[in-house]
Amino acid sequence: MSQQLTFDLPTREALGRDAFFVAPSNRLAVATLENAAMWPSGKLALIGPKGSGKTHLAHVWANENNAAIIAATQLATLDVPTIAARRNVVVEDADTLPALADAPAAQEALFHLHNLTLAEGGRLLITATQAPNHWALTLPDLASRMEGTAVARIEEPDDALLSAMLVKHFEDHQIAIPHTLVPYLIKRIERSAAAVRDIVDALDAASLRARKPVSQKLAAQVLDKSGI
């Protein structure tokens, strides 16, 4: 009997529109992003749990609107006027700003980026895990502007979305799986995007250690040990 070989292949995350699965838990957020002309004051905060698809959706929007994508960790050294001149800007993980070593400079940069982008008639999309009033910003002018930002929320996934996320993560890891594995995992993992990511990462690692393909038997062993 031939054996399926296992390889330590690089993860290639698919961030295109076709790879994003629209479900009840994110449908309103998707519709809001697609109607950027109606964002109050030209800005929107995209809120959702870690791993829920915020980055994916933000990249889709950025690609369709020729927007610059800036991580919160880049803000302190950002050439704000140049980025604002792009007119459309995405800032990711804005709720991490207070914890950054250069938080004052980063918050000052976001304040100016916010003002210049909107003054240019552009659109500002900001991602975070919590709504702006929970970001604990220390720059009062920035806090007031962020708290006045409309929010589009991605909720925890339902069965259909969990299934699609599992398939996507396995594809990102270039892992072939039996057709019975996704339904098996759906019934046993925590109902969260983070749990989807964790189980795929754990199965990938276990498969490489055992030099065996991912299977339902391997999944049972991993779940038993990890408690995911």
Side-chain angles (χ1 to χ4, degrees):
M1 181 184 299
S2 62
Q3 285 189 312
Q4 180 178 340
L5 299 178
T6 55
F7 301 93
D8 188 3
L9 298 173
T11 301
R12 300 186 303 194
E13 186 175 9
L15 292 174
R17 181 65 178 86
D18 292 344
F20 190 86
F21 187 84
V22 179
S25 56
N26 62 32
R27 184 170 288 120
L28 183 57
V30 171
T32 303
L33 259 71
E34 290 177 343
N35 195 17
M38 299 301 293
W39 295 357
S41 302
K43 55 184 178 176
L44 182 73
L46 180 61
I47 308 304
K50 185 177 180 180
S52 61
K54 298 187 300 298
T55 292
H56 190 156
L57 198 52
H59 278 249
V60 170
W61 183 84
N63 183 59
E64 294 176 348
N65 293 276
N66 191 33
I69 302 176
I70 307 299
T73 52
Q74 299 175 293
L75 284 165
T77 57
L78 193 66
D79 182 347
V80 172
T82 297
I83 297 299
R86 288 281 297 273
R87 294 177 58 86
N88 295 326
V89 180
V90 176
V91 176
E92 295 196 281
D93 304 318
D95 51 345
T96 65
L97 281 171
L100 298 179
D102 48 11
Q107 292 185 51
E108 189 75 26
L110 181 55
F111 172 71
H112 292 300
L113 181 62
H114 168 281
N115 292 346
L116 286 176
T117 299
L118 300 185
E120 291 282 348
R123 292 292 181 268
L124 179 63
L125 175 63
I126 306 168
T127 71
T129 58
Q130 301 183 81
N133 60 315
H134 294 294
W135 293 357
L137 297 171
T138 56
L139 183 64
D141 287 341
L142 176 62
S144 66
R145 283 160 175 77
M146 291 298 99
E147 289 173 9
T149 302
V151 170
R153 190 178 301 276
I154 299 178
E155 305 295 347
E156 292 288 4
D158 53 20
D159 278 359
L161 184 53
L162 279 174
S163 297
M165 291 169 66
L166 278 166
V167 170
K168 179 184 180 298
H169 278 282
F170 280 123
E171 289 178 347
D172 287 346
H173 284 261
Q174 303 181 63
I175 299 174
I177 58 172
H179 72 276
T180 57
L181 184 58
V182 168
Y184 175 83
L185 291 173
I186 288 296
K187 296 177 181 178
R188 291 165 174 81
I189 64 171
E190 178 185 301
R191 304 186 61 79
S192 71
V196 168
R197 182 192 62 247
D198 291 345
I199 189 60
V200 174
D201 287 347
L203 284 170
D204 190 12
S207 174
L208 291 170
R209 284 195 303 270
R211 301 184 64 82
K212 295 179 180 179
V214 172
S215 65
Q216 188 168 310
K217 181 178 179 181
L218 182 64
Q221 295 170 354
V222 169
L223 288 168
D224 184 56
K225 291 180 181 178
S226 66
I228 293 174

